[in-house]
């Protein structure tokens, strides 16, 4: 099983304590910072954008984990000035040119990730396995924080791990996003997930970020 990564959701940060929060993440060895980008079209919400990404990079050396919940991402990758080593997720449901979008991320030096909504079948991945470094499995329907886990997605995580391993994709990571509580993280890890988008149900539950990160790591080790 791959080493676990924690990717706190920047959508959940208390912006009054932004710099302090980033210092805590750095001291705790957080691997990634999850940045939700929503365009009001693919999902009915607006969130973080290109200026946020640009300024965040100036404040921390932690690689960004860009989750592009936007239509036609293949044409918009250059907007984000992707940096080497950053993760960039595009939704298979948001484009008719998935391979082109993934190739654009790779060309920019990023790590391409294919994101799938809860009801999207895994066979969407059949012809892009050579183009991805990870799969982002939504465990809630995308667009809003604070939703409850869709139980069937736990089985989907296990199915995805088996699917990847059977096709020589043992090194492809599985990221989960949606109600990654301490309790659910244990189940997700057991099913085969290794990267966890942590929001209001774990890392940002209460005020003690450091303790929450340590608790989450124990849950997914």
């Amino acid at each position: 099983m791959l080493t676990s990564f924690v990717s706190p959701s920047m959508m959940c940060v208390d912006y009054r304590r932004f710099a302090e929060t980033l210092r805590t993440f750095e001291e705790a060895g957080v691997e990634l910072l999850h940045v939700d980008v929503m365009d009001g079209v693919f999902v009915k919400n607006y969130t973080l954008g290109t200026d946020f990404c640009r300024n965040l990079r100036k404040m921390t050396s932690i690689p960004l984990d860009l989750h592009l919940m936007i239509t036609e991402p293949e044409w918009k990758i250059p907007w984000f000035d992707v940096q080497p080593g950053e993760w960039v997720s595009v939704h298979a449901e948001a484009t008719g040119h998935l391979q082109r979008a993934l190739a654009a991320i790779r060309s920019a030096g990023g790590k391409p990730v294919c994101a799938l909504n809860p009801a999207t079948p895994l066979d969407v991945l059949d012809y892009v396995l050579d183009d991805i470094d990870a799969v982002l499995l939504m465990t809630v329907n995308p667009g809003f924080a604070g939703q409850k886990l869709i139980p069937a997605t736990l089985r989907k995580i296990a199915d995805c791990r088996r699917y990847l391993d059977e096709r020589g994709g043992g090194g492809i990571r599985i990221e989960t996003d949606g109600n990654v509580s301490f309790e659910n993280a244990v189940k997700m890890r057991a099913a085969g997930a290794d990267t966890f988008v942590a929001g209001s149900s774990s890392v940002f539950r209460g005020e003690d970020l450091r303790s929450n990160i340590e608790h989450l790591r124990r849950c997914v080790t």
Side-chain angles (χ1 to χ4, degrees):
M1 189 175 287
L2 298 173
T3 303
S4 60
F5 286 176
V6 173
S7 185
S9 173
M10 301 308 291
M11 186 169 66
C12 299
V13 171
D14 181 348
Y15 290 99
R16 297 169 299 179
R17 303 170 56 191
F18 196 81
E20 177 187 347
T21 296
L22 289 177
R23 284 195 298 273
T24 298
F25 289 162
E26 290 169 349
E27 291 167 0
V30 160
E31 288 83 9
L32 298 163
L33 297 176
H34 193 82
V35 180
D36 287 304
V37 180
M38 306 182 194
D39 63 0
V41 179
F42 179 65
V43 293
K44 300 302 181 184
N45 197 3
Y46 292 99
T47 52
L48 311 173
T50 54
D51 285 344
F52 179 88
C53 297
R54 188 175 302 111
N55 288 316
L56 183 56
R57 292 184 184 109
K58 296 175 183 177
M59 298 180 68
T60 182
S61 60
I62 301 174
L64 303 191
D65 173 18
L66 303 177
H67 183 186
L68 304 186
M69 287 170 271
I70 61 177
T71 58
E72 298 186 332
E74 63 272 19
W75 309 118
K76 300 168 185 175
I77 299 302
W79 297 1
F80 294 90
D81 190 26
V82 176
Q83 298 299 299
E86 291 183 343
W87 290 33
V88 185
S89 303
V90 292
H91 273 264
E93 307 89 355
T95 174
H97 303 283
L98 178 58
Q99 196 280 332
R100 177 179 283 163
L102 297 168
I105 296 165
R106 182 83 72 195
S107 179
K111 294 181 178 294
V113 183
C114 182
L116 302 178
N117 285 343
T120 301
L122 294 172
D123 60 13
V124 168
L125 301 171
D126 277 354
Y127 300 107
V128 295
L129 287 178
D130 291 339
D131 301 300
I132 60 174
D133 289 336
V135 178
L136 171 59
L137 296 180
M138 295 301 303
T139 47
V140 300
N141 287 299
F144 298 91
Q147 300 184 67
K148 292 197 177 296
L149 176 81
I150 297 172
T153 59
L154 292 174
R155 177 164 52 87
K156 187 176 184 180
I157 295 168
D159 289 345
C160 185
R161 185 69 272 164
R162 183 167 53 253
Y163 170 96
L164 294 172
D165 291 346
E166 288 175 352
R167 290 160 177 78
I172 296 176
R173 302 185 72 92
I174 296 177
E175 182 174 21
T176 54
D177 184 0
N179 196 202
V180 183
S181 66
F182 301 122
E183 300 79 8
N184 289 335
V186 172
K187 299 173 185 176
M188 292 170 176
R189 181 61 166 168
D194 51 68
T195 304
F196 303 87
V197 178
S200 57
S201 57
S202 56
V203 165
F204 295 98
R205 181 194 291 184
E207 299 292 322
D208 194 341
L209 296 179
R210 174 63 74 89
S211 293
N212 286 342
I213 292 168
E214 292 173 354
H215 186 184
L216 182 60
R217 286 203 188 280
R218 289 194 296 272
C219 291
V220 300
T221 297

